Short mmCIF file of all heavy atoms in Angstrom, two decimals:
data_model
loop_
_atom_site.label_atom_id
_atom_site.label_comp_id
_atom_site.label_asym_id
_atom_site.label_seq_id
_atom_site.Cartn_x
_atom_site.Cartn_y
_atom_site.Cartn_z
N ALA A 133 -6.49 -2.04 12.38
CA ALA A 133 -6.47 -1.95 13.85
C ALA A 133 -6.60 -3.34 14.46
O ALA A 133 -5.95 -3.66 15.47
CB ALA A 133 -7.60 -1.05 14.34
N ASP A 134 -7.41 -4.16 13.84
CA ASP A 134 -7.59 -5.52 14.34
C ASP A 134 -6.29 -6.32 14.26
O ASP A 134 -5.95 -7.08 15.16
CB ASP A 134 -8.70 -6.24 13.55
CG ASP A 134 -9.03 -7.58 14.16
OD1 ASP A 134 -9.49 -7.60 15.31
OD2 ASP A 134 -8.77 -8.62 13.52
N VAL A 135 -5.57 -6.14 13.16
CA VAL A 135 -4.30 -6.84 12.99
C VAL A 135 -3.33 -6.43 14.12
O VAL A 135 -2.69 -7.28 14.74
CB VAL A 135 -3.69 -6.55 11.60
CG1 VAL A 135 -2.26 -7.05 11.51
CG2 VAL A 135 -4.54 -7.19 10.51
N LEU A 136 -3.28 -5.14 14.40
CA LEU A 136 -2.40 -4.67 15.47
C LEU A 136 -2.82 -5.24 16.81
O LEU A 136 -1.99 -5.71 17.59
CB LEU A 136 -2.44 -3.14 15.56
CG LEU A 136 -1.68 -2.37 14.50
CD1 LEU A 136 -1.89 -0.88 14.70
CD2 LEU A 136 -0.18 -2.70 14.57
N ALA A 137 -4.13 -5.21 17.07
CA ALA A 137 -4.62 -5.70 18.37
C ALA A 137 -4.31 -7.19 18.54
O ALA A 137 -3.80 -7.62 19.57
CB ALA A 137 -6.13 -5.46 18.47
N ARG A 138 -4.59 -7.96 17.50
CA ARG A 138 -4.33 -9.41 17.58
C ARG A 138 -2.84 -9.68 17.74
O ARG A 138 -2.43 -10.57 18.48
CB ARG A 138 -4.85 -10.12 16.33
CG ARG A 138 -6.34 -10.27 16.31
CD ARG A 138 -6.80 -10.91 15.00
NE ARG A 138 -8.24 -10.93 14.91
CZ ARG A 138 -9.02 -11.89 15.39
NH1 ARG A 138 -8.49 -12.94 15.98
NH2 ARG A 138 -10.33 -11.83 15.27
N TYR A 139 -2.04 -8.90 17.03
CA TYR A 139 -0.60 -9.10 17.11
C TYR A 139 -0.10 -8.80 18.52
O TYR A 139 0.70 -9.56 19.08
CB TYR A 139 0.10 -8.20 16.08
CG TYR A 139 1.59 -8.26 16.22
CD1 TYR A 139 2.29 -9.39 15.80
CD2 TYR A 139 2.30 -7.22 16.79
CE1 TYR A 139 3.66 -9.47 15.96
CE2 TYR A 139 3.66 -7.29 16.94
CZ TYR A 139 4.34 -8.42 16.53
OH TYR A 139 5.69 -8.51 16.69
N LYS A 140 -0.57 -7.70 19.09
CA LYS A 140 -0.10 -7.33 20.43
C LYS A 140 -0.57 -8.36 21.46
O LYS A 140 0.15 -8.68 22.40
CB LYS A 140 -0.60 -5.93 20.80
CG LYS A 140 0.13 -4.85 20.04
CD LYS A 140 1.60 -4.76 20.49
CE LYS A 140 2.34 -3.68 19.76
NZ LYS A 140 3.74 -3.55 20.19
N ARG A 141 -1.77 -8.87 21.28
CA ARG A 141 -2.23 -9.92 22.21
C ARG A 141 -1.31 -11.13 22.12
O ARG A 141 -0.95 -11.72 23.12
CB ARG A 141 -3.67 -10.32 21.90
CG ARG A 141 -4.67 -9.25 22.25
CD ARG A 141 -6.11 -9.77 22.12
NE ARG A 141 -7.04 -8.67 22.04
CZ ARG A 141 -7.74 -8.35 20.95
NH1 ARG A 141 -7.65 -9.08 19.85
NH2 ARG A 141 -8.56 -7.32 20.97
N LEU A 142 -0.95 -11.49 20.87
CA LEU A 142 -0.02 -12.61 20.67
C LEU A 142 1.28 -12.37 21.42
O LEU A 142 1.88 -13.28 21.96
CB LEU A 142 0.34 -12.73 19.18
CG LEU A 142 -0.43 -13.66 18.27
CD1 LEU A 142 0.19 -13.64 16.89
CD2 LEU A 142 -0.48 -15.07 18.79
N ARG A 143 1.71 -11.11 21.44
CA ARG A 143 2.98 -10.77 22.10
C ARG A 143 2.81 -10.57 23.60
O ARG A 143 3.71 -10.08 24.27
CB ARG A 143 3.57 -9.49 21.50
CG ARG A 143 4.09 -9.68 20.10
CD ARG A 143 5.58 -10.00 20.10
NE ARG A 143 6.06 -10.27 18.75
CZ ARG A 143 7.02 -11.13 18.46
NH1 ARG A 143 7.61 -11.81 19.40
NH2 ARG A 143 7.39 -11.31 17.22
N GLY A 144 1.62 -10.87 24.10
CA GLY A 144 1.42 -10.85 25.54
C GLY A 144 0.96 -9.52 26.12
O GLY A 144 0.92 -9.35 27.33
N TYR A 145 0.60 -8.58 25.26
CA TYR A 145 0.12 -7.30 25.77
C TYR A 145 -1.35 -7.41 26.14
O TYR A 145 -2.14 -8.03 25.42
CB TYR A 145 0.24 -6.20 24.71
CG TYR A 145 1.63 -5.70 24.48
CD1 TYR A 145 2.56 -6.47 23.79
CD2 TYR A 145 2.02 -4.45 24.94
CE1 TYR A 145 3.85 -6.02 23.58
CE2 TYR A 145 3.31 -3.99 24.72
CZ TYR A 145 4.21 -4.77 24.04
OH TYR A 145 5.48 -4.31 23.83
N GLU A 146 -1.71 -6.76 27.24
CA GLU A 146 -3.13 -6.64 27.54
C GLU A 146 -3.62 -5.52 26.63
O GLU A 146 -3.07 -4.40 26.64
CB GLU A 146 -3.32 -6.27 29.00
CG GLU A 146 -4.74 -6.46 29.45
CD GLU A 146 -4.96 -6.05 30.90
OE1 GLU A 146 -3.96 -5.77 31.60
OE2 GLU A 146 -6.11 -5.99 31.30
N THR A 147 -4.61 -5.83 25.82
CA THR A 147 -4.96 -4.92 24.72
C THR A 147 -6.37 -4.38 24.83
O THR A 147 -7.28 -5.11 25.21
CB THR A 147 -4.77 -5.68 23.39
OG1 THR A 147 -3.40 -6.01 23.28
CG2 THR A 147 -5.15 -4.84 22.20
N PHE A 148 -6.51 -3.12 24.52
CA PHE A 148 -7.84 -2.52 24.46
C PHE A 148 -8.00 -1.94 23.05
O PHE A 148 -7.27 -1.04 22.64
CB PHE A 148 -7.96 -1.43 25.53
CG PHE A 148 -9.35 -0.85 25.63
CD1 PHE A 148 -10.46 -1.69 25.76
CD2 PHE A 148 -9.56 0.52 25.59
CE1 PHE A 148 -11.75 -1.16 25.85
CE2 PHE A 148 -10.84 1.05 25.68
CZ PHE A 148 -11.93 0.21 25.82
N PHE A 149 -8.95 -2.50 22.34
CA PHE A 149 -9.18 -2.12 20.94
C PHE A 149 -10.58 -1.53 20.86
O PHE A 149 -11.56 -2.20 21.14
CB PHE A 149 -9.00 -3.37 20.07
CG PHE A 149 -9.48 -3.26 18.64
CD1 PHE A 149 -9.69 -2.04 18.01
CD2 PHE A 149 -9.68 -4.42 17.89
CE1 PHE A 149 -10.12 -1.97 16.70
CE2 PHE A 149 -10.11 -4.36 16.58
CZ PHE A 149 -10.34 -3.14 15.98
N LEU A 150 -10.61 -0.25 20.50
CA LEU A 150 -11.88 0.48 20.50
C LEU A 150 -12.26 0.96 19.11
O LEU A 150 -11.46 1.55 18.39
CB LEU A 150 -11.75 1.69 21.44
CG LEU A 150 -12.97 2.61 21.56
CD1 LEU A 150 -14.17 1.89 22.17
CD2 LEU A 150 -12.63 3.84 22.40
N THR A 151 -13.50 0.68 18.73
CA THR A 151 -14.06 1.27 17.50
C THR A 151 -15.48 1.70 17.84
O THR A 151 -15.92 1.52 18.98
CB THR A 151 -14.01 0.28 16.32
OG1 THR A 151 -14.42 0.97 15.13
CG2 THR A 151 -14.91 -0.93 16.50
N GLY A 152 -16.18 2.28 16.88
CA GLY A 152 -17.54 2.69 17.20
C GLY A 152 -18.13 3.61 16.14
O GLY A 152 -17.64 3.65 15.01
N THR A 153 -19.18 4.31 16.54
CA THR A 153 -19.88 5.16 15.57
C THR A 153 -20.08 6.57 16.10
O THR A 153 -20.28 6.79 17.29
CB THR A 153 -21.26 4.55 15.22
OG1 THR A 153 -21.88 4.08 16.42
CG2 THR A 153 -21.13 3.42 14.23
N ASP A 154 -20.03 7.50 15.15
CA ASP A 154 -20.15 8.93 15.40
C ASP A 154 -21.58 9.27 14.99
O ASP A 154 -21.92 9.22 13.81
CB ASP A 154 -19.12 9.63 14.50
CG ASP A 154 -18.92 11.08 14.83
OD1 ASP A 154 -19.68 11.61 15.66
OD2 ASP A 154 -17.99 11.69 14.26
N GLU A 155 -22.42 9.58 15.96
CA GLU A 155 -23.86 9.60 15.65
C GLU A 155 -24.51 10.97 15.69
O GLU A 155 -25.69 11.09 15.43
CB GLU A 155 -24.57 8.62 16.61
CG GLU A 155 -23.98 7.21 16.53
CD GLU A 155 -24.79 6.16 17.25
OE1 GLU A 155 -25.71 6.52 17.99
OE2 GLU A 155 -24.49 4.96 17.05
N HIS A 156 -23.75 12.01 16.09
CA HIS A 156 -24.36 13.34 16.14
C HIS A 156 -24.00 14.15 14.90
O HIS A 156 -23.25 13.70 14.05
CB HIS A 156 -23.88 14.08 17.39
CG HIS A 156 -24.44 13.52 18.66
ND1 HIS A 156 -23.67 13.08 19.69
CD2 HIS A 156 -25.73 13.32 19.05
CE1 HIS A 156 -24.43 12.64 20.68
NE2 HIS A 156 -25.68 12.77 20.31
N GLY A 157 -24.55 15.38 14.90
CA GLY A 157 -24.13 16.34 13.88
C GLY A 157 -25.04 16.41 12.67
O GLY A 157 -25.99 15.64 12.51
N GLN A 158 -24.65 17.38 11.86
CA GLN A 158 -25.44 17.72 10.67
C GLN A 158 -25.64 16.56 9.70
O GLN A 158 -26.74 16.31 9.23
CB GLN A 158 -24.68 18.84 9.95
CG GLN A 158 -25.47 19.56 8.91
CD GLN A 158 -26.28 20.68 9.56
OE1 GLN A 158 -25.83 21.31 10.49
NE2 GLN A 158 -27.48 20.90 9.07
N LYS A 159 -24.56 15.84 9.42
CA LYS A 159 -24.63 14.77 8.41
C LYS A 159 -25.68 13.74 8.80
O LYS A 159 -26.45 13.27 7.98
CB LYS A 159 -23.29 14.03 8.33
CG LYS A 159 -22.27 14.71 7.50
CD LYS A 159 -21.07 13.80 7.32
CE LYS A 159 -19.93 14.65 6.82
NZ LYS A 159 -18.87 13.99 6.20
N VAL A 160 -25.63 13.36 10.07
CA VAL A 160 -26.55 12.33 10.53
C VAL A 160 -27.97 12.88 10.59
O VAL A 160 -28.92 12.22 10.16
CB VAL A 160 -26.08 11.78 11.90
CG1 VAL A 160 -27.08 10.77 12.44
CG2 VAL A 160 -24.70 11.16 11.77
N GLN A 161 -28.08 14.11 11.06
CA GLN A 161 -29.41 14.72 11.13
C GLN A 161 -30.03 14.79 9.74
O GLN A 161 -31.20 14.46 9.55
CB GLN A 161 -29.32 16.13 11.74
CG GLN A 161 -30.68 16.78 11.91
CD GLN A 161 -30.61 18.05 12.76
OE1 GLN A 161 -30.22 18.03 13.92
NE2 GLN A 161 -30.99 19.17 12.17
N GLN A 162 -29.23 15.18 8.76
CA GLN A 162 -29.76 15.26 7.39
C GLN A 162 -30.13 13.89 6.83
O GLN A 162 -31.16 13.73 6.18
CB GLN A 162 -28.72 15.91 6.47
CG GLN A 162 -28.69 17.41 6.61
CD GLN A 162 -27.57 18.05 5.81
OE1 GLN A 162 -26.59 17.39 5.48
NE2 GLN A 162 -27.71 19.32 5.51
N ALA A 163 -29.28 12.90 7.09
CA ALA A 163 -29.58 11.55 6.60
C ALA A 163 -30.87 11.03 7.21
O ALA A 163 -31.69 10.41 6.52
CB ALA A 163 -28.42 10.61 6.92
N ALA A 164 -31.06 11.31 8.51
CA ALA A 164 -32.28 10.86 9.18
C ALA A 164 -33.49 11.55 8.55
O ALA A 164 -34.51 10.91 8.28
CB ALA A 164 -32.20 11.17 10.67
N ALA A 165 -33.34 12.87 8.29
CA ALA A 165 -34.45 13.62 7.69
C ALA A 165 -34.81 13.04 6.33
O ALA A 165 -35.99 12.92 5.98
CB ALA A 165 -34.07 15.09 7.58
N ARG A 166 -33.78 12.65 5.57
CA ARG A 166 -34.05 12.05 4.25
C ARG A 166 -34.86 10.77 4.38
O ARG A 166 -35.67 10.44 3.55
CB ARG A 166 -32.74 11.75 3.52
CG ARG A 166 -32.16 12.94 2.78
CD ARG A 166 -31.11 12.50 1.77
NE ARG A 166 -30.02 11.75 2.39
CZ ARG A 166 -28.94 12.32 2.93
NH1 ARG A 166 -28.81 13.64 2.91
NH2 ARG A 166 -28.00 11.59 3.48
N ASN A 167 -34.58 10.03 5.46
CA ASN A 167 -35.31 8.78 5.67
C ASN A 167 -36.63 8.98 6.42
O ASN A 167 -37.34 8.02 6.69
CB ASN A 167 -34.46 7.79 6.47
CG ASN A 167 -33.31 7.28 5.63
OD1 ASN A 167 -33.45 7.09 4.43
ND2 ASN A 167 -32.17 7.09 6.26
N GLY A 168 -36.91 10.22 6.79
CA GLY A 168 -38.16 10.53 7.47
C GLY A 168 -38.25 9.96 8.87
O GLY A 168 -39.35 9.68 9.36
N ILE A 169 -37.11 9.75 9.53
CA ILE A 169 -37.16 9.27 10.91
C ILE A 169 -36.31 10.17 11.80
O ILE A 169 -35.52 10.96 11.30
CB ILE A 169 -36.69 7.79 11.06
CG1 ILE A 169 -35.32 7.60 10.38
CG2 ILE A 169 -37.70 6.82 10.51
CD1 ILE A 169 -34.74 6.23 10.62
#
Side-chain angles (χ1 to χ4, degrees):
D134 187 63
V135 169
L136 284 177
R138 284 176 186 273
Y139 174 73
K140 288 291 181 179
R141 289 188 198 112
L142 267 183
R143 289 266 176 213
Y145 285 74
E146 195 182 351
T147 297
F148 186 51
F149 167 19
L150 178 64
T151 187
T153 42
D154 192 352
E155 305 190 349
H156 289 123
Q158 194 85 36
K159 278 189 196 200
V160 176
Q161 184 169 299
Q162 281 174 338
R166 276 197 302 274
N167 289 324
I169 51 174

